[in-house]
Amino acid sequence: MMALTRGEKSEVPPTVVPTALHYLQALPETIHWGYFDPARAPALRVKSGDLVQAEAVTHHAGDDPDLLMDEKIWRIFRETPEADRNPGVHIMTGPIFVEGAKPGDTLEVRYLTMQPRMKHGSNLAANWGHLYQEFGEQERVTIYELDSASNTASAHYAYDFKGKYLVPGTVTRCPACERQAALNGVRVPVRPHLGTAGVAPDVSGRVSTIPPGLHGGNIDNWRIGAGATMYYPVQVDGGLFSIGDPHVSQGDGEISGTAIEASLNVLFQIILRKDFSFPSPLLETPKNWIVHGFHEDLNQAMKNASLDMLHLLTEHQGLSRNDAYSLMSVGADFGVTQVVDGTQGIHVRIPRGIFPAQGG
Amino acid sequence: MMALTRGEKSEVPPTVVPTALHYLQALPETIHWGYFDPARAPALRVKSGDLVQAEAVTHHAGDDPDLLMDEKIWRIFRETPEADRNPGVHIMTGPIFVEGAKPGDTLEVRYLTMQPRMKHGSNLAANWGHLYQEFGEQERVTIYELDSASNTASAHYAYDFKGKYLVPGTVTRCPACERQAALNGVRVPVRPHLGTAGVAPDVSGRVSTIPPGLHGGNIDNWRIGAGATMYYPVQVDGGLFSIGDPHVSQGDGEISGTAIEASLNVLFQIILRKDFSFPSPLLETPKNWIVHGFHEDLNQAMKNASLDMLHLLTEHQGLSRNDAYSLMSVGADFGVTQVVDGTQGIHVRIPRGIFPAQGG
């Protein structure tokens, strides 16, 4: 049985004392828009244990540029040609080269803080949304305002999008559109998280940021926020880790196609793990282990998630297959992560506190 | 906009003072095994507002009859012919005829207490389980012991089931099988609930208890426990409400095919609602509204759940369709209820506290 932590014979979780603190701004030269690519030159090089304070910028900032952009975000939109925003849509900050990381290793990324950069965010009911047909193929933007005192968001106004929302980084000037009141009195809990983050896949050329996969990417699990740790399987030298697609609120399912999309400043620590591996992106929160399954068919995503949870319980918690299967049925909760990224997602969580204490 | 409560202009939730308390034992003559049937004679007649203290008996009591049966449960198993246990599997207590209930009305059932009757329960990794093929088509029983002090369950022992588990109410004598240790040190949270409960569908003849549907039935949502309220759409005169399939622990997904199946004693209040309707079984917990979608294809169950949540938000919370869709994307969480009842289930919850206060 391989322990999930390195704190053998210890009752406290392992602390990795930060070795350095890096700053990584999102600038035209430090972002890549719409793709992961192992040939992309690193924007930053770090050592295991280093802290990174990085900017993640939403590709939906153009939905209300006055509220969602500052001058530095404008630079990204102005200076990144439309032709260089493909095949996906997300603005990714990075990549970060982690010294010594090799294929087969794991990047443990501890997300420490996620702070909204602006006071507003945008939700698009998109042409890739789950109920697009049912809404007469009309796309619609709802701009939300964040209230840091209550940690909630409320709708500021909404407008019907003219035409079809196809170009990443579309800029809409809504003084020229009709603003409508929306969701009067409703307050949505704010839970900032990264929709997309991950390592470069081992492929030649660009890979779209849209479908999530074993490298991480567009997982869109709102639990990937401050206090959570992700384990990403390294696929190329240096890992080449990037973050993007910041959200302040999203429901499981992300049914309209987007979250409340809003730029975030993110502090995280990267730890290179050579003693731990997992076949898919694994999420640890203070209370739960969470395993992800992906597939374009939700039925098969469910199967994939259940098989990887079986793997977690047998390989990392030391249970027999039979025991793991029974435990999953009576104590693990499956949820729908998203149904709007082409490759759909199912996640399954098991409480960490139900297992006997290790070591001691 | 129709308010969900009748407490108009009141800031406290409506109290319906109980008018009477009935006892409904589970006996061969007060249960129906494997089916709903509108022609089934009522086991009890109640008025709106009455309390019912009823017994729900697990059809898995035969997995260890020494631990899971008492003499009264034995009577049900002995005196209900195998030929009369069909086309489904669950032992249903009832039906209860609610005076004045007509098709189109709603039965509001407030679940008040759910107490385990015995100290043990059974989980079967079944031939209808999600990973049956991956486990070499071997079925297996794990017997769990409940600890009321910590409100957890731990595995007592396990055994491979010989042959195929096909007959509802199969009785296995495990002194004649090989008992194996299981899940050493693992403690599963206990959350007692009814796997199956609902009204009689408006059909002629027996309807299987296995697939959930608009009448309720085998929803298998572990949130249908004490403190929760269910709204069932009445389909025939009197409603003909029955309960069964008691569980003490189940994960969302119910992946092995069963929960920890264990008999429960259940106190609930039935309130006849002529001022409220909803197209599918609706669940209210102290924190959330939860809507259910069903379909044999999980992708379509997802669509059904999202359409009925849209209905809840527009018809009962008074939101516009556009507002409701945006809110669902940023604040509603979709989960997998179960994938093992033929008709699969997706549920979606929206927090009650995010809406502006009504009345006052």
Side-chain angles (χ1 to χ4, degrees):
Chain A
M1 174 177 169
M2 173 191 275
L4 279 161
T5 65
R6 288 137 301 156
E8 273 192 77
K9 309 240 176 203
S10 164
E11 289 186 354
V12 291
T15 302
V16 178
V17 177
T19 36
L21 168 60
H22 306 268
Y23 297 90
L24 180 57
Q25 296 184 75
L27 301 169
E29 52 274 21
T30 58
I31 62 101
H32 43 110
W33 194 325
Y35 61 92
F36 291 95
D37 185 345
R40 175 88 185 169
L44 178 67
R45 302 179 80 93
V46 304
K47 290 191 169 64
S48 176
D50 286 0
L51 291 170
V52 181
Q53 174 74 43
E55 294 173 347
V57 168
T58 177
H59 54 297
H60 279 278
D63 294 348
D64 184 331
D66 294 338
L67 295 178
L68 303 179
M69 292 206 197
D70 53 24
E71 180 46 35
K72 224 165 53 172
I73 295 177
W74 262 122
R75 270 198 63 206
I76 295 172
F77 278 65
R78 269 198 313 263
E79 298 177 23
T80 313
E82 267 183 41
D84 199 27
R85 310 172 182 175
N86 64 66
V89 298
H90 308 96
I91 301 171
M92 304 300 299
T93 308
I96 300 171
F97 186 99
V98 182
E99 290 186 18
K102 297 288 178 193
D105 295 346
T106 298
L107 286 193
E108 174 182 337
V109 180
R110 302 182 178 184
Y111 293 108
L112 304 178
T113 67
M114 296 208 184
Q115 296 183 299
R117 173 168 173 166
M118 316 289 285
K119 258 193 75 176
H120 295 83
S122 172
N123 170 249
L124 172 67
N127 60 73
W128 57 90
H130 192 63
L131 301 180
Y132 180 54
Q133 301 302 325
E134 286 79 358
F135 277 77
E137 304 196 353
Q138 174 62 57
E139 292 173 273
R140 186 177 174 88
V141 169
T142 305
I143 301 294
Y144 285 81
E145 180 168 331
L146 316 183
D147 177 52
S148 59
S150 62
N151 206 32
T152 60
S154 51
H156 186 47
Y157 72 96
Y159 63 92
D160 284 341
F161 185 81
K162 292 190 172 64
K164 197 164 180 179
Y165 201 113
L166 293 173
V167 179
T170 293
V171 174
T172 306
R173 286 279 179 193
C174 204
C177 72
E178 192 192 344
R179 294 189 181 210
Q180 295 159 5
L183 284 167
N184 182 32
V186 175
R187 302 180 81 85
V188 179
V190 163
R191 36 196 197 193
H193 59 280
L194 291 175
T196 308
V199 294
D202 183 16
V203 294
S204 90
R206 293 184 170 192
V207 169
S208 171
T209 55
I210 294 176
L214 301 188
H215 64 296
N218 193 21
I219 298 175
D220 279 329
N221 189 334
W222 59 259
R223 296 161 190 84
I224 304 176
T229 295
M230 281 290 296
Y231 298 85
Y232 302 98
V234 172
Q235 316 210 4
V236 300
D237 283 358
L240 297 178
F241 177 70
S242 301
I243 66 168
D245 191 24
H247 297 167
V248 298
S249 298
Q250 186 209 293
D252 282 332
E254 201 186 17
I255 196 151
S256 86
T258 65
I260 299 180
E261 315 271 331
S263 299
L264 294 174
N265 297 325
V266 182
L267 176 65
F268 54 94
Q269 185 179 28
I270 299 184
I271 298 164
L272 177 60
R273 297 287 299 268
K274 292 184 177 282
D275 61 334
F276 176 75
S277 68
F278 198 74
S280 53
L282 177 66
L283 170 57
E284 178 186 8
T285 70
K287 289 194 177 170
N288 294 296
W289 289 106
I290 300 172
V291 167
H292 298 93
F294 307 118
H295 200 274
E296 62 190 31
D297 179 349
L298 214 49
N299 301 285
Q300 189 60 42
M302 179 79 194
K303 178 66 69 75
N304 292 345
S306 57
L307 290 174
D308 275 8
M309 177 53 86
L310 193 63
H311 182 92
L312 180 78
L313 295 175
T314 54
E315 297 300 310
H316 292 292
Q317 290 291 345
L319 300 186
S320 72
R321 274 171 58 88
N322 283 326
D323 281 359
Y325 190 30
S326 180
L327 178 60
M328 286 165 65
S329 197
V330 305
D333 288 324
F334 287 76
V336 179
T337 326
Q338 54 71 30
V339 294
V340 293
D341 296 335
T343 299
Q344 302 186 88
I346 294 281
H347 57 271
V348 48
R349 62 179 177 272
I350 189 87
R352 294 166 59 189
I354 68 176
F355 301 102
Q358 294 175 4
Chain B
M1 175 178 168
M2 174 191 273
L4 278 163
T5 65
R6 287 137 301 155
E8 272 191 76
K9 310 240 175 202
S10 164
E11 289 186 353
V12 291
T15 302
V16 178
V17 177
T19 37
L21 169 59
H22 306 268
Y23 296 90
L24 180 57
Q25 295 184 76
L27 302 168
E29 53 274 21
T30 58
I31 63 99
H32 43 113
W33 195 325
Y35 62 92
F36 291 95
D37 186 346
R40 175 86 187 173
L44 177 68
R45 301 179 81 92
V46 304
K47 289 190 171 63
S48 176
D50 287 359
L51 292 170
V52 181
Q53 174 72 43
E55 294 172 348
V57 168
T58 177
H59 53 296
H60 278 278
D63 294 348
D64 184 330
D66 295 337
L67 294 178
L68 302 179
M69 292 205 198
D70 55 24
E71 180 47 33
K72 224 164 52 170
I73 295 176
W74 263 120
R75 269 198 63 206
I76 295 172
F77 278 65
R78 268 198 311 261
E79 297 178 24
T80 313
E82 266 183 41
D84 198 27
R85 310 170 183 177
N86 63 67
V89 298
H90 309 97
I91 302 171
M92 304 301 298
T93 308
I96 299 172
F97 186 99
V98 181
E99 289 187 18
K102 298 288 178 193
D105 296 346
T106 299
L107 287 193
E108 174 182 337
V109 180
R110 300 181 179 185
Y111 293 107
L112 305 178
T113 67
M114 296 206 184
Q115 296 182 299
R117 173 168 174 166
M118 316 288 286
K119 259 193 72 175
H120 296 83
S122 171
N123 170 248
L124 172 68
N127 59 74
W128 57 91
H130 193 63
L131 300 180
Y132 181 53
Q133 301 302 325
E134 285 80 358
F135 277 77
E137 305 196 352
Q138 173 64 55
E139 292 174 273
R140 185 176 174 89
V141 170
T142 305
I143 301 295
Y144 285 82
E145 180 168 332
L146 317 183
D147 177 52
S148 59
S150 62
N151 205 34
T152 60
S154 52
H156 187 47
Y157 72 95
Y159 64 91
D160 285 341
F161 186 81
K162 292 191 171 65
K164 196 163 180 179
Y165 202 111
L166 293 173
V167 179
T170 293
V171 175
T172 306
R173 287 281 181 193
C174 204
C177 71
E178 191 191 345
R179 294 188 181 211
Q180 294 159 4
L183 282 167
N184 182 31
V186 175
R187 302 181 81 87
V188 179
V190 163
R191 37 195 196 192
H193 59 279
L194 290 175
T196 308
V199 294
D202 183 17
V203 293
S204 91
R206 294 184 170 192
V207 169
S208 170
T209 55
I210 294 176
L214 303 187
H215 65 295
N218 193 21
I219 299 175
D220 279 329
N221 188 333
W222 59 260
R223 296 161 191 83
I224 305 176
T229 296
M230 280 290 295
Y231 299 86
Y232 302 98
V234 172
Q235 316 209 6
V236 300
D237 283 357
L240 297 178
F241 178 71
S242 302
I243 67 169
D245 192 22
H247 297 167
V248 298
S249 298
Q250 186 209 293
D252 282 332
E254 201 186 17
I255 197 150
S256 86
T258 66
I260 299 180
E261 316 270 330
S263 299
L264 293 174
N265 296 325
V266 182
L267 176 65
F268 54 94
Q269 184 179 27
I270 299 185
I271 299 165
L272 177 60
R273 296 288 298 268
K274 292 184 178 282
D275 61 335
F276 176 76
S277 67
F278 198 75
S280 53
L282 178 65
L283 170 58
E284 180 185 9
T285 70
K287 290 195 176 170
N288 294 296
W289 289 106
I290 301 172
V291 166
H292 299 93
F294 307 118
H295 200 276
E296 61 190 32
D297 179 349
L298 213 50
N299 302 284
Q300 189 60 43
M302 179 79 194
K303 179 65 69 73
N304 293 344
S306 57
L307 291 173
D308 275 7
M309 177 53 86
L310 193 63
H311 181 91
L312 179 79
L313 294 175
T314 54
E315 297 300 309
H316 293 291
Q317 291 290 345
L319 300 186
S320 71
R321 275 171 57 86
N322 283 327
D323 281 358
Y325 190 30
S326 180
L327 178 59
M328 284 165 65
S329 197
V330 306
D333 289 323
F334 287 75
V336 179
T337 327
Q338 52 73 27
V339 293
V340 293
D341 297 334
T343 300
Q344 302 186 87
I346 295 281
H347 58 272
V348 49
R349 61 177 179 271
I350 189 87
R352 294 166 59 188
I354 68 175
F355 301 103
Q358 293 176 6

